[in-house]
Amino acid sequence: MPVVEGSDLVQLQRRRQQVRNICILAHVDHGKTTLADSLVASNGIISQRMAGKLRYLDNRADEQERGITMKSSSISLYYQEAEEMAGNPDYLINLIDSPGHVDFSSEVSTAVRLCDGAIVVVDVVEGVGPQTRACLKQIYEEQLKPVLVLNKLDRLILEKQMDPLDAYFHLTQVLEQVNAVLGSIFASDILAREDITNKDNYESALEEVDDSELYFSPSSGNVIFCSAYDGWAFSVRDFAAMYAKRLEIKRKDLEQVLWGDFYYNSKKKEALPGAQEKAKKPMFVQFVLENIWSLYDIIAIRKDKDKLPGIAEKLGLKLAARDLRLTDPKLQIKAVLGQWLPIDRSVLHMVVEHVPPPHKISEERAQRLLYPANVDLSSLPPETLKLKDSFTTCDADSSDVIAFVSKMTPVHVTHLPQNRPKRLTDQEVQQRRDEVRRRIEERKLQSEQAELEKISQGVEQLSTQVEVTKTEEPQPEVGEPNEFVFIAFARVFSGTLKRGMELFNLTPKHDPRQPTHRKEDEAPYASRVTIGDLYMFMGGELQLLDEVPAGNIVGIGGLESHIVKTATLSSSLDCTSFSELSIMATPILRVAIEPVQPQDMPKLVKGLKLLNQADACVQVSVAPTGEHVITTLGEVHVEKCVHDLEQSYAKIKVNVSKPIVSFRETIVPAATVDMVNEAIVKTAEDKDVSKKIAVQQTLNKLGTLKVIAVPLPAEPVELLEKHAEFFKELAAIPRNQLLSEKWTTLLGTIKIKLIAALKDLQLFGLSRLSTEELVNRIWALGPRNCGTNILLNLSDYEQPDFWSSHAKSDTDVRSKTDPRKDFNSSLVNGFQLTSVAGPLCEEPMQGVCFAVLEWSIQTEGEDLNSRGPFSGQVLTAAKEVCRQAFQNQPQRLVTPMYSCNIVVNAEMLGKMYAVIGRRHGKILSGDLTQGSGNFAVTCLLPVIESFNFAQEMRKQTSGLACPQLMFSHWEVIDIDPFWLPTTEEELMHFGEKADSANRAKVYMDSVRRRKGLFVDEQVVEHAEKQRTLSKNK
C-alpha cells in the first residue's frame, strides 16, 4: 500500500463511524511488536521485508537491545476495505502497542483505558501465559471488545514438525485454554456480584446470565491464525471466500463449518458433522492447513525454488524477478504467503468488524468511567448525569469537552514537529547556490588585495569569533531545563479539542456533589489549564494538528506543569473525575538513589521529578532518613529508571543502593513442636496467662495500663487488608460529618463479616463477651487508622463508637464525666506509633490485636501534669505497654512473596529447582505444556531472595529458563528471630556453634543495619572455628 498522507488521516478523524481505537496485548515474547510492524508496513511507513526485524514501535535504544517493549506507543494507520465491500470505505485505526513484561504492566493499564477493543496475541507453542491471563482480566474489567490472534503457526511446522491434523488438535486446545481463562474471569465476577441475601433462591446467578458473546470462535470471525514474522495471516472467512464456488456451498454457511468437527462429503457436496467419530479429516485440515503445510514443505524444507513460479501462477500472485532470486527460504515464504494471505488485510478487517466505533460505547462502560464505583448515582446533580449522553454518543459538536489523560510521555525537544528541520523548496535551493557563488567571487577579490589588509581582516575575524564564542557559551545552560517536553497521552471522549482552548483539570478528589466544587472560583480540586499544541502519534514521530474531534487518541502539549501522571480534562465543573486506572501489579521493589558527586543533588531532584512524571508506575519519595527512594515493579524496571536518570533526565552518575525490602512484624500462637518436630512439654508456668500481660504506669504513677497482645486469625487480617483504602478514606472525612448511605451500608457489611471472621479469636479466657460485643468494642485500627491491627477495649472505659454512621470524633463519648475521655486520642496515638514501627526492626505490624484490660487514672487531689503534660505521658505509656505486650508473645517476621512463573525444557528442570531451593523458594506446580516439551513451573519466592534471580537462572540453565516475577502475598517466616538450638536433638541437628544461620535473624539484622539500629553481632563469634594460615595451604 502506498504511503498515506497525514491530511487524509486528519479528515478520517471526523468520521467517528470509521475510527477504531485498539491496543495489542499479550504475554512477553508472544509477538505483539512484530504484528504491529506488519500492520505499520501496510501503510508504507516501513518496508514489508523489514517488518518483524525493525520493531518500529520500540524506539528506545534499550528496547532494541533487550528485545522487549518497555512502554506503550501509539500510531495512526489507514485501512481500506477490499473491493467486494459495499462502498469500499476507508478507516482510521489508532493502534497502541503495549509491553508484555510484568515489570511494565502499568503501561498496559494506560493503553487499555484509551481503547475500545484489544487484539490479544497468543503464541500457539507456549499457550496462555500468566500475563495473558492478567491482560484478559483487565480487558474484562475495562469492558473492551477483544479479538484473538493465534501467532507463530510457523513454529508448529518447522520447530515442532507437527502434521496438519496434530496441529489442528493443538490449536483447538490453545483456543480452549484462552476461552477457559475468559470463562473463569466471567464466572468469578458474576458470583462476586450475586445477591446472597435472598435465602429462598437456590439457583446460581450463572444460570441466568448470557455468555454467548464472551468466547472466541473462528466461525464467528473473531479469531485469526497467523505468523507475524513470516508476514501472513488468515481467518476462516478468507478461505470460505476462496472455496465457496468450488465446493458449491454458500460462503456464510461455509464460514460456520470450516472450523470444528465437520468433514466434506464430495459425493453429496455438503459438510457433515462427526469427522473425529468417522475418522475423517476435518475441513479445516483438508482445505486450510494442508495447503499452508505443503507450501512450507516446498519452500522451507525441500527448498525447491523451481516450483515457485508455478505456485504463484496457481494462486494468482505476481512475483517480482527479485523475489524469485531470493535464497533465504524465510524471505521466499514472506514473498509468497505475504501476498496470498496478507496479514494487514485479515487483522484489520477483523478489527473493523468486531471492535465497536467510539460512539457505540456501552452504557455500562460509560458509567464505570464517568462515575466513581462507591457513589450512588441518585446523589449526583442532574447536570452531571446529562454528560453521559454526550459521552456515549461521542458527539464532536457537543459543547461539553471531556478528555482523559492516561500518562505523560517524555519527548526530546528535537523530535517535536515544529523543531524538525524543514525541507527546502527549489527556490530556496537556488538562492543558496547563488549565495555560495557570490562568496567565492568575494574571496577571489580579497586575495588580490594587499598583505596588510589581509592581516587587519584576520584580526577583525578573530575578534568577531571571540565575541561569537562568548555569546554562544551560556546557551546550553539556558536550553538544558527544557531538553524534554511532556506530551499528554490522551483520548477525547466528547466535544472537539482545539489548540489554545481553556479547560478544567479535575483531580481525583473533585466531587460535583459538593456545591463549592461546581463554582469556578471556589472549586478546590480543579484548576484551569490552556491546551498547547495537539499532536497525532506516529510511532516515534509526531504530527501537528489544529483540532481533534471526539473518539480519537491525541497528544496534548503544554500540560507538564499541571499534570503529574493522569488527569481528567473537562470544559464543565459538573464532570466527575474519571475512575483510577486499575494497575495489574503493585510496586514493591525500593532502591535508594544518590549522586556520585554530592554537588549534583539539585540535578538528581529535578531528574527524579521528571522520572516520576514520565513513568506511570514508579513512585518517588523521600524517606524519613532523607534518602531519595524509588519504588518499582522489578529489577528490569529499576534498570530502566536508573538508565533514564543517567542518560536523559538528570544526566549525572548515580549510586543505587541494594534493594530495600519492606517486612512486617507479627505474633503467632505458642508453638507445640520445636525446630526438629519434637513435642514441647509445657509447664504450669508456661501456661500462666498473667505472664503475657504487660503493665505500664505513666511517669507520675497516676495512670495505669494493662494490655495483652493476641494474634488475629487469617480471615480478619485478609478482610481488613482488602478494605484498607475504604478505612483510609473514612479516617480522612471531617469529624461529625454524616456518612453517605453507600458508605454506611459498606461499613455495616464489613462489621457483619468481621463478626464471622473473629469467632476463632483466642483471648485466653480474659473476656466472656460474645464476638459481636467484641467487634462493637473495637477502639481503632492501626497503623494510620487503616491497617490490619486492632486496638480492643476490654476495660470499663466507654470508647467512641467505631461503627457509627457519623465520622469519628474523639470527643464523641457517651460518659461526659469520665476524665479518661480527654486522653482518648493520646492512648490511640500510642497504639498507632507502636503498630507503625514494631520492636523487631521498626517495620509495621500485621495481624495483632492489642486488648486493653485496664485503664485507670487517679484524679483525687492530684495534679495530673506534675511531670509534664499528662497527655504526653499517656501516649508514651501506651506506646511502651503495646511494645511490651508484643514482645511477651512469640514474634515473627512477615516477608513479601513473589509468584514466579518459569517456562523451561525438561533437561534444565533439575538446575532450575536447585536455583529456587538455594533461595528458599517453594514449588507450587510444574506441569508439562501440551504440544511442547516445555514445563510451566509456578513457585513462590521471598522478595528479599529475588535479586539477580533472573540472571542466575539464565546462567545456570544456559538461557533456557526465563522467570517472570509478580507480587503475590505476605507470608510469615516460621522461625523465631531470636531462636538458638537448646535441646539435645536441636544441637545435634543444627550444630553447637549454630552452623546454619537463622534466616529470620539474618533478615532482621539486615533491616536493622540499614536503619542504623543496634545489631547484636560479634566480629569473631567462634574463635576456634577461624581458619589458620597453615590450614589454608
Side-chain angles (χ1 to χ4, degrees):
M1 196 181 278
V3 178
V4 181
E5 287 296 322
S7 54
D8 297 344
L9 297 177
V10 172
Q11 284 175 350
L12 278 172
Q13 283 189 336
R14 302 180 195 290
R15 303 179 206 154
R16 55 189 181 176
Q17 179 63 46
Q18 285 155 255
V19 175
R20 299 289 184 276
N21 297 312
I22 54 159
C23 52
I24 306 181
L25 309 178
H27 189 69
V28 68
D29 284 338
H30 277 206
K32 293 178 298 301
T33 309
T34 309
L35 176 65
D37 259 15
S38 300
L39 301 180
V40 169
S42 71
N43 273 218
I45 296 168
I46 61 173
S47 89
Q48 285 285 3
R49 193 173 288 193
M50 290 304 290
K53 295 175 186 169
L54 192 65
R55 300 206 313 281
Y56 181 71
L57 292 179
D58 286 356
N59 42 35
R60 286 173 57 106
D62 48 355
E63 285 182 317
Q64 290 287 350
E65 280 167 27
R66 285 177 183 272
I68 58 169
T69 308
M70 292 184 175
K71 52 146 195 17
S72 48
S73 43
S74 175
I75 190 163
S76 296
L77 300 176
Y78 171 84
Y79 168 65
Q80 191 164 23
E81 276 286 20
E83 310 302 322
E84 68 259 21
M85 292 298 291
N88 198 9
D90 39 8
Y91 291 89
L92 170 68
I93 313 265
N94 292 316
L95 177 81
I96 304 177
D97 181 29
S98 62
H101 197 287
V102 68
D103 280 15
F104 307 106
S105 53
S106 61
E107 290 283 334
V108 178
S109 309
T110 61
V112 165
R113 173 55 62 89
L114 304 183
C115 295
D116 301 310
I119 299 174
V120 180
V121 183
V122 176
D123 180 341
V124 289
V125 175
E126 290 184 17
V128 176
Q131 276 303 101
T132 318
R133 284 191 180 84
C135 290
L136 286 169
K137 190 168 192 296
Q138 194 143 24
I139 288 168
Y140 182 81
E141 281 175 4
E142 290 277 350
Q143 289 158 347
L144 267 63
K145 180 76 180 158
V147 289
L148 181 67
V149 171
L150 294 174
N151 193 16
K152 305 195 184 182
L153 252 73
D154 57 304
R155 286 183 70 188
L156 297 181
I157 307 169
L158 302 173
E159 196 180 305
K160 296 295 166 195
Q161 295 181 349
M162 289 183 176
D163 60 38
L165 191 63
D166 289 343
Y168 166 71
F169 289 126
H170 179 73
L171 288 171
T172 54
Q173 284 168 352
V174 172
L175 190 60
E176 213 161 293
Q177 277 179 11
V178 179
N179 283 334
V181 172
L182 267 180
S184 65
I185 293 167
F186 174 73
S188 56
D189 176 54
I190 296 297
L191 293 172
R193 288 188 288 172
E194 188 176 7
D195 183 16
I196 51 171
T197 50
N198 187 356
K199 296 280 187 282
D200 304 327
N201 184 12
Y202 293 105
E203 278 192 6
S204 167
L206 286 169
E207 287 176 22
E208 296 166 19
V209 291
D210 175 31
D211 62 350
S212 57
E213 293 288 306
L214 182 72
Y215 301 112
F216 296 116
S217 163
S219 52
S220 59
N222 59 1
V223 178
I224 270 185
F225 304 91
C226 91
S227 166
Y229 192 75
D230 286 349
W232 57 267
F234 66 87
S235 63
V236 167
R237 174 185 162 275
D238 296 336
F239 276 91
M242 281 181 216
Y243 283 111
K245 222 175 195 179
R246 277 177 61 189
L247 300 180
E248 297 176 20
I249 301 175
K250 283 181 187 169
R251 182 172 141 181
K252 286 280 175 199
D253 299 340
L254 194 52
E255 278 179 32
Q256 299 305 312
V257 294
L258 206 48
W259 172 267
D261 194 27
F262 296 95
Y263 69 95
Y264 182 66
N265 187 323
S266 51
K267 286 179 185 174
K268 294 182 182 175
K269 295 202 171 176
E270 60 179 346
L272 300 171
Q276 207 170 340
E277 193 184 318
K278 292 170 186 169
K280 302 273 189 188
K281 264 187 203 169
M283 289 176 74
F284 191 74
V285 175
Q286 188 180 349
F287 296 116
V288 181
L289 295 185
E290 283 186 352
N291 288 323
I292 290 165
W293 254 247
S294 62
L295 273 173
Y296 267 88
D297 183 49
I298 294 164
I299 299 169
I301 298 167
R302 286 191 277 159
K303 298 181 178 156
D304 196 345
K305 270 179 77 174
D306 303 334
K307 288 191 179 175
L308 270 183
I311 291 169
E313 200 179 319
K314 278 181 187 172
L315 297 175
L317 310 177
K318 289 176 185 173
L319 286 182
R322 187 183 65 176
D323 294 333
L324 293 169
R325 286 198 301 271
L326 292 169
T327 51
D328 184 359
K330 277 282 185 187
L331 290 174
Q332 289 173 354
I333 283 172
K334 216 171 197 176
V336 176
L337 278 158
Q339 255 195 69
W340 183 40
L341 303 168
I343 191 166
D344 52 287
R345 190 189 66 197
S346 304
V347 174
L348 296 179
H349 174 77
M350 177 173 72
V351 166
V352 165
E353 280 285 295
H354 291 274
V355 174
H359 67 286
K360 288 191 179 166
I361 187 169
S362 69
E363 287 277 319
E364 217 175 313
R365 184 167 186 230
Q367 198 162 307
R368 188 187 177 281
L369 289 175
L370 263 182
Y371 309 128
N374 53 4
V375 169
D376 188 7
L377 291 186
S378 58
S379 64
L380 290 164
E383 294 90 343
T384 305
L385 295 171
K386 269 184 199 166
L387 285 175
K388 190 175 160 189
D389 298 335
S390 56
F391 190 87
T392 45
T393 54
C394 197
D395 187 3
D397 303 323
S398 170
S399 56
D400 300 312
V401 179
I402 303 170
F404 179 73
V405 176
S406 72
K407 68 165 185 171
M408 300 297 283
T409 311
V411 175
H412 201 278
V413 173
T414 55
H415 293 168
L416 290 175
Q418 55 265 43
N419 298 342
R420 223 177 285 139
K422 290 171 186 168
R423 289 178 68 179
L424 298 174
T425 60
D426 294 342
Q427 198 177 353
E428 285 172 328
V429 171
Q430 191 59 46
Q431 279 176 355
R432 292 202 174 192
R433 280 180 188 153
D434 295 344
E435 179 71 20
V436 170
R437 282 194 194 113
R438 194 176 58 77
R439 282 185 186 171
I440 291 167
E441 283 172 15
E442 274 180 13
R443 275 184 200 158
K444 278 182 183 176
L445 286 169
Q446 283 175 357
S447 63
E448 289 166 10
Q449 285 176 350
E451 228 170 58
L452 190 68
E453 283 176 357
K454 279 184 189 173
I455 293 163
S456 62
Q457 273 184 345
V459 171
E460 279 172 21
Q461 280 173 356
L462 278 171
S463 64
T464 52
Q465 277 174 0
V466 170
E467 280 170 28
V468 168
T469 49
K470 276 180 186 172
T471 52
E472 279 180 0
E473 226 172 288
Q475 272 183 358
E477 287 177 32
V478 176
E480 205 177 5
N482 303 324
E483 196 168 337
F484 280 91
V485 174
F486 281 93
I487 305 292
F489 193 50
R491 173 171 165 182
V492 187
F493 282 95
S494 169
T496 301
L497 201 62
K498 294 176 184 172
R499 196 186 302 177
M501 187 181 257
E502 279 209 351
L503 297 177
F504 292 104
N505 170 22
L506 311 177
T507 59
K509 285 187 178 177
H510 176 75
D511 185 358
R513 291 177 298 173
Q514 311 291 337
T516 53
H517 288 208
R518 282 184 286 152
K519 289 179 184 166
E520 203 171 307
D521 305 326
E522 296 176 33
Y525 302 115
S527 57
R528 272 194 174 281
V529 295
T530 305
I531 301 297
D533 289 319
L534 299 175
Y535 304 98
M536 182 191 286
F537 288 105
M538 294 299 288
E541 296 178 7
L542 298 166
Q543 187 178 320
L544 272 172
L545 300 171
D546 293 324
E547 57 178 43
V548 180
N552 286 286
I553 289 168
V554 62
I556 309 172
L559 298 179
E560 58 249 58
S561 54
H562 301 283
I563 299 172
V564 179
K565 290 188 180 181
T566 63
T568 307
L569 301 175
S570 172
S571 56
S572 156
L573 283 171
D574 295 321
C575 183
T576 53
S577 179
F578 273 39
S579 55
E580 288 290 299
L581 294 175
S582 52
I583 300 292
M584 287 197 264
T586 38
I588 192 162
L589 189 70
R590 295 186 298 158
V591 290
I593 286 189
E594 61 178 23
V596 173
Q597 304 292 337
Q599 66 265 30
D600 288 337
M601 192 51 129
K603 287 183 183 175
L604 178 70
V605 172
K606 186 185 135 209
L608 285 170
K609 274 184 188 168
L610 293 173
L611 177 71
N612 186 40
Q613 202 166 7
D615 198 312
C617 210
V618 76
Q619 292 172 4
V620 178
S621 57
V622 179
T625 52
E627 293 174 301
H628 288 276
V629 175
I630 59 170
T631 311
T632 59
L633 283 168
E635 284 186 87
V636 184
H637 196 190
V638 168
E639 285 169 28
K640 178 196 169 223
C641 292
V642 172
H643 177 271
D644 284 355
L645 272 177
E646 291 190 337
Q647 303 299 321
S648 306
Y649 303 140
K651 292 200 169 179
I652 55 167
K653 285 283 173 198
V654 294
N655 289 332
V656 183
S657 73
K658 282 185 178 174
I660 303 164
V661 178
S662 308
F663 283 90
R664 291 185 185 172
E665 301 177 21
T666 191
I667 54 175
V668 291
T672 52
V673 293
D674 63 11
M675 291 294 283
V676 286
N677 286 342
E678 297 280 330
I680 297 172
V681 181
K682 291 188 178 176
T683 60
E685 198 174 322
D686 291 335
K687 292 177 183 174
D688 186 8
V689 179
S690 59
K691 291 269 169 76
K692 307 281 186 190
I693 298 170
V695 182
Q696 183 77 26
Q697 288 187 316
T698 53
L699 195 61
N700 58 14
K701 304 284 187 286
L702 297 178
T704 309
L705 275 164
K706 277 188 185 176
V707 173
I708 186 168
V710 290
L712 282 174
E715 279 179 41
V717 173
E718 280 172 29
L719 183 71
L720 293 172
E721 186 115 45
K722 187 181 166 187
H723 295 287
E725 278 301 313
F726 168 72
F727 284 116
K728 193 177 183 179
E729 287 176 32
L730 201 64
I733 288 177
R735 292 179 179 183
N736 293 332
Q737 184 183 315
L738 197 65
L739 299 181
S740 70
E741 193 182 329
K742 200 156 189 175
W743 279 41
T744 312
T745 315
L746 184 55
L747 199 62
T749 314
I750 295 170
K751 186 179 178 182
I752 293 163
K753 286 180 181 174
L754 201 57
I755 290 168
L758 281 174
K759 63 179 185 296
D760 300 328
L761 184 67
Q762 184 65 42
L763 281 169
F764 306 109
L766 295 168
S767 168
R768 290 181 185 167
L769 297 171
S770 68
T771 317
E772 193 172 342
E773 288 171 309
L774 285 174
V775 171
N776 283 328
R777 283 182 156 266
I778 288 176
W779 203 333
L781 298 179
R784 301 182 189 90
N785 298 309
C786 61
T788 54
N789 306 293
I790 293 175
L791 182 64
L792 195 63
N793 178 21
L794 299 180
S795 65
D796 56 352
Y797 170 69
E798 286 193 42
Q799 88 285 358
D801 184 8
F802 181 79
W803 304 102
S804 72
S805 58
H806 284 270
K808 310 297 162 285
S809 167
D810 293 331
T811 52
D812 175 27
V813 180
R814 284 165 232 147
S815 171
K816 300 291 179 196
T817 54
D818 195 335
R820 291 175 290 188
K821 73 175 171 54
D822 297 332
F823 307 107
N824 183 76
S825 63
S826 299
L827 194 146
V828 172
N829 286 340
F831 154 72
Q832 298 287 6
L833 285 171
T834 308
S835 60
V836 83
L840 289 178
C841 49
E842 292 197 357
E843 290 288 307
M845 290 182 183
Q846 173 182 301
V848 185
C849 173
F850 292 101
V852 180
L853 304 173
E854 184 189 318
W855 182 25
S856 58
I857 298 176
Q858 296 169 19
T859 51
E860 287 83 37
E862 299 284 351
D863 179 18
L864 289 175
N865 300 324
S866 57
R867 297 266 184 113
F870 191 63
S871 58
Q873 293 180 43
V874 170
L875 190 145
T876 310
K879 182 182 160 189
E880 286 306 314
V881 77
C882 287
R883 278 177 89 95
Q884 278 175 27
F886 183 88
Q887 287 173 305
N888 287 345
Q889 297 284 6
Q891 304 163 73
R892 295 286 184 273
L893 273 181
V894 188
T895 176
M897 300 294 280
Y898 274 138
S899 157
C900 175
N901 297 89
I902 309 165
V903 176
V904 63
N905 66 2
E907 295 130 52
M908 293 296 170
L909 265 181
K911 288 180 178 177
M912 184 205 65
Y913 285 144
V915 175
I916 294 168
R918 275 199 295 278
R919 291 171 177 263
H920 307 286
K922 287 183 211 162
I923 305 291
L924 297 181
S925 67
D927 303 322
L928 184 67
T929 310
Q930 287 182 331
S932 71
N934 290 343
F935 280 82
V937 178
T938 310
C939 66
L940 292 175
L941 191 74
V943 170
I944 197 164
E945 298 283 0
S946 69
F947 311 121
N948 297 323
F949 174 66
Q951 282 92 317
E952 189 188 351
M953 181 66 78
R954 281 198 288 267
K955 205 180 284 179
Q956 295 294 332
T957 61
S958 311
L960 293 174
C962 189
Q964 286 256 300
L965 297 167
M966 196 169 182
F967 175 68
S968 170
H969 65 286
W970 292 83
E971 192 173 284
V972 176
I973 301 173
D974 206 18
I975 308 169
D976 188 339
F978 304 107
W979 173 84
L980 289 169
T982 47
T983 66
E984 208 169 302
E985 288 84 1
E986 285 177 346
L987 286 166
M988 194 185 295
H989 191 275
F990 294 101
E992 282 182 40
K993 310 263 165 51
D995 293 325
S996 53
N998 178 342
R999 189 156 66 96
K1001 188 174 192 306
V1002 170
Y1003 297 162
M1004 182 180 81
D1005 286 350
S1006 71
V1007 177
R1008 291 185 73 89
R1009 204 174 286 114
R1010 190 188 81 231
K1011 292 185 175 180
L1013 304 171
F1014 171 71
V1015 179
D1016 183 18
E1017 62 179 354
Q1018 295 163 322
V1019 177
V1020 177
E1021 206 152 330
H1022 302 293
E1024 68 273 24
K1025 286 182 78 174
Q1026 302 298 313
R1027 298 185 109 188
T1028 60
L1029 282 172
S1030 58
K1031 265 268 181 80
N1032 261 343
K1033 284 175 184 172

